[in-house]
Every structure is written in structure tokens, then in C-alpha cells.
Amino acid sequence: MQKLKYLWLDGEILEWDNAKIHVMTHSLHYSISVFEAIRCHATELGPAIFRLDEHLVRFYQSAKIYNLKIPFDSKEIKDAIISLIELNEVENCYIRPIAFTAYGEMGLNPLKNKISVAVTLWEWGAYLGEEGKRKGVRCMVSSWVRIDSRSLPPQAKCSANYANSALAKMEAVTNGFDEAIMLNSHGFVAEGPGENIFRVKEGVLTTPPASSGILRGITRDTVMKFAQELGIPCYRNDFTREELYTSDELFFTGTAAGIVPIREVDGRKIGNGDYPITRKLQQMYDDAIHGRNEKYKHWLTYVKTIKTSL
Ligand code: PMP
């Protein structure tokens, strides 16, 4: 990660190197922090943040699930994000608001701790690589089972969930794969460590339902809306490991990753190596995030109106 000039901590803009927190910060020990992952892209009218309002709604919902009171309202976080993009003079960036239990009490009851909030951003390329987006990624089904809402609520974007994700990711990478696919405790496909998953079979899209132990992805929702526009049937239904292998197309969706074809699972090639529906959705997504489709401009929050180098 390449550092930028400024970040925001508890209401103040600070120079990047001046944001310091104590090693006894409660959330460092107990993982009680909720966060968001948002992207801003260059458009003809300057940098534009994709579906910012929806990301902020999810941020406050994650906090609510953990009973954390974020001491700033949504408008304050939105203003912090916009100021940071302007001050850091970036167009394409990844934005990370995080609310965490601060220094003070130790122990497992976080309700006594102050909640600190930080907003940072940095320039971050495609999470599974540009080549992954073009050629597709190779996956393995993880031996780690996805968390479920009886143990850790997957619909809260809480740091604790990412210990489960990181175990799956490490296992996949150590075994020579690009990414993991995680099953839930019922044996159905859930999601990737940081991405939702879709399958295409005979022209029909299916993605696991919210109840399968997934984060309700905003890119997932975007793809479902695109499918509606294209007249492609799209269902939120459980599917199994063998249905991964027999899919015509499979792809991941996520803010960090984008829309990424999956070309292989557990050594089985997916489809015939051609991904017409995935490609179409990738193109629509690319157009929407870069402000090239009038229909989806309401999803963009423009940071400032300038003519960019695009
Ligand atoms: N699942 C998990 C576990 C994730 O971390 C992410 C990334 N935020 C997603 C799915 C995709 O969500 P989104 O499309 O909102 O980025």
C-alpha cells in the first residue's frame, strides 16, 4: 500500500503518519470493528464514488448488529470521504471507513468503550489482478466453512469475519490457487473470502441468498439490477459444490475485485472458457462506475466537477 497525504480520525483531518492509536486499543485485541469498502473512479466529470449511500447504509447496519453507536452521522462520514479525495488529489481510489472500540476498558464487553472512527483511502488496483479479470481465476473449495449467523453475523461487515476469510484465502494461495470458494455449514456454496459468487447455467443466473451466510454485496445487487435490465433471469437460490463444477459460467463480484470470471474450480474447467454473460456484465459495470451510462448516474457521487485526463 502506497500511503497518501491525509486521512481522517475522529472528526479531524490528519497527516497520514500522524494517525496513531495505542496498542491497547480494544478492537485490536477483540476484533470489534465494522468497516466499509468503497471505490471512487475517474469519470469525465471528475472522480465519482460508486453507490456511496448504499455503502454508508450498510456501515450503520453493521454497527447496529453489534450495538455500536457510531458517534458521527452519515453526512459527516460522507463529507470526510469527499474532503479526503480532494485533499489527496486522487481519482481512482479505495475508501475505507472503520468504526472500532477504542483504548479504555479491556475485556469482552465492548459497550463501555468509546467508538473511534477513521476514514482512509489509497490507490488500489483490481484485487484479483487485471489478468484475473481478463482470463479468469483458478479457485479451490475451501476446507474452512463460512461463518454463519448463529456464530458471527456475516451480514455485519465486522473485522472478526475476516479471520475466517483469511484462513480460506491463505489455504487457497498456499495450494497454488488464486482464490477460495467457501461452503456454509449446510454444505451449500456461500461466497469467496471477500466476494459474492454467481453461477450461469443455461442462460439463468443464480447467486446464494442472504441467508446462506454471505455479506449482501453491493456489487451483487448491481449485477442483479443489470440482469433485470438485460432480461436475464436471476435467482437467489442455494446451490451445491457439484453445481459449481457443472456451471456454464461462474464469477465473483465485489468492490475490491470487480466482476471476475472463475475459470477453474478444484481442477475442473468451467464451461468452455468463453464467458459471454460475465463479459456483458463486466462491460456494464465498467460503464456504470465510470459514468458512461446515463441510466446509472444516480449511483455516482461526484467529488468535484473537473475535466479529467480520461
Ligand atoms: N462478501 C464478503 C465477505 C466481502 O468482504 C465483500 C466485499 N465487501 C463482498 C462479499 C462483496 O461486497 P461488495 O460488493 O459490497 O463489495
Side-chain angles (χ1 to χ4, degrees):
M1 182 193 53
Q2 189 79 35
K3 69 181 182 184
L4 293 181
K5 284 192 227 141
Y6 300 103
L7 48 71
W8 183 99
L9 179 62
D10 290 331
E12 271 185 86
I13 301 267
L14 298 177
E15 283 185 24
W16 187 278
D17 289 333
N18 290 345
K20 306 254 192 296
I21 55 168
H22 202 276
V23 290
M24 293 299 279
T25 296
H26 183 273
S27 62
L28 178 64
H29 299 254
Y30 304 113
S31 284
I32 308 292
S33 42
V34 295
F35 65 94
E36 261 312 312
I38 313 168
R39 273 195 192 267
C40 177
H41 306 271
T43 76
E44 269 202 339
L45 297 174
I49 307 163
F50 190 63
R51 303 194 72 177
L52 176 58
D53 293 337
E54 291 88 338
H55 279 284
L56 290 176
V57 165
R58 191 171 66 185
F59 186 47
Y60 286 88
Q61 274 174 9
S62 296
K64 183 169 186 185
I65 292 169
Y66 276 90
N67 222 349
L68 304 180
K69 307 270 178 294
I70 297 181
F72 297 92
D73 65 25
S74 183
K75 169 85 171 59
E76 288 169 300
I77 304 296
K78 195 168 177 168
D79 289 347
I81 292 172
I82 291 173
S83 305
L84 284 180
I85 294 171
E86 285 173 354
L87 286 167
N88 284 302
E89 300 175 272
V90 283
E91 290 193 312
N92 294 294
C93 62
Y94 182 84
I95 304 159
R96 167 62 55 81
I98 182 164
F100 57 98
T101 46
Y103 176 88
E105 297 293 323
M106 289 301 271
L108 287 175
N109 176 8
L111 296 173
K112 296 189 206 145
N113 290 71
K114 177 188 154 202
I115 305 301
S116 271
V117 185
V119 181
T120 54
L121 40 97
W122 65 96
E123 289 174 296
W124 204 16
Y127 176 62
L128 296 172
E130 282 305 324
E131 192 178 305
K133 266 203 214 162
R134 261 196 328 275
K135 296 191 180 159
V137 289
R138 293 177 54 249
C139 296
M140 68 174 279
V141 172
S142 184
S143 67
W144 295 100
V145 171
R146 188 68 183 143
I147 51 171
D148 77 47
S149 68
R150 294 165 298 184
S151 49
L152 274 177
Q155 289 182 34
K157 198 168 166 60
C158 177
S159 302
N161 302 0
Y162 290 88
N164 175 249
S165 292
L167 287 167
K169 179 79 185 186
M170 286 189 286
E171 181 187 37
V173 171
T174 308
N175 284 288
F177 294 91
D178 301 309
E179 189 55 301
I181 297 173
M182 301 183 79
L183 306 182
N184 62 28
S185 52
H186 303 288
F188 293 115
V189 173
E191 59 181 346
E195 312 89 359
N196 293 118
I197 191 166
F198 285 77
R199 88 186 279 253
V200 181
K201 184 71 180 174
E202 291 161 6
V204 174
L205 272 170
T206 309
T207 192
S211 56
S212 66
I214 59 163
L215 182 76
R216 294 165 78 135
I218 288 158
T219 323
R220 170 179 175 271
D221 179 74
T222 301
V223 163
M224 291 192 288
K225 294 205 160 70
F226 288 163
Q228 203 170 16
E229 184 186 337
L230 294 170
I232 301 172
C234 181
Y235 298 104
R236 277 165 276 190
N237 275 343
D238 284 318
F239 56 89
T240 58
R241 181 176 191 160
E242 63 269 31
E243 286 171 311
L244 287 172
Y245 304 154
T246 58
S247 296
D248 297 332
E249 302 178 41
L250 276 180
F251 60 88
F252 283 129
T253 62
T255 300
I259 298 177
V260 182
I262 297 171
R263 76 179 142 97
E264 193 189 298
V265 181
D266 295 340
R268 279 87 164 169
K269 192 175 161 209
I270 301 306
N272 59 10
D274 208 16
Y275 317 107
I277 293 184
T278 312
R279 295 282 179 231
K280 177 80 200 150
L281 294 164
Q282 274 184 321
Q283 186 59 53
M284 281 177 88
Y285 184 65
D286 210 50
D287 287 344
I289 61 180
H290 291 104
R292 293 191 295 257
N293 187 336
E294 280 303 320
K295 201 165 170 184
Y296 297 113
K297 279 200 172 159
H298 64 282
W299 278 341
L300 300 178
T301 301
Y302 288 97
V303 174
K304 53 190 169 188
T305 311
I306 52 160
K307 189 83 190 152
T308 70
S309 50
L310 263 189

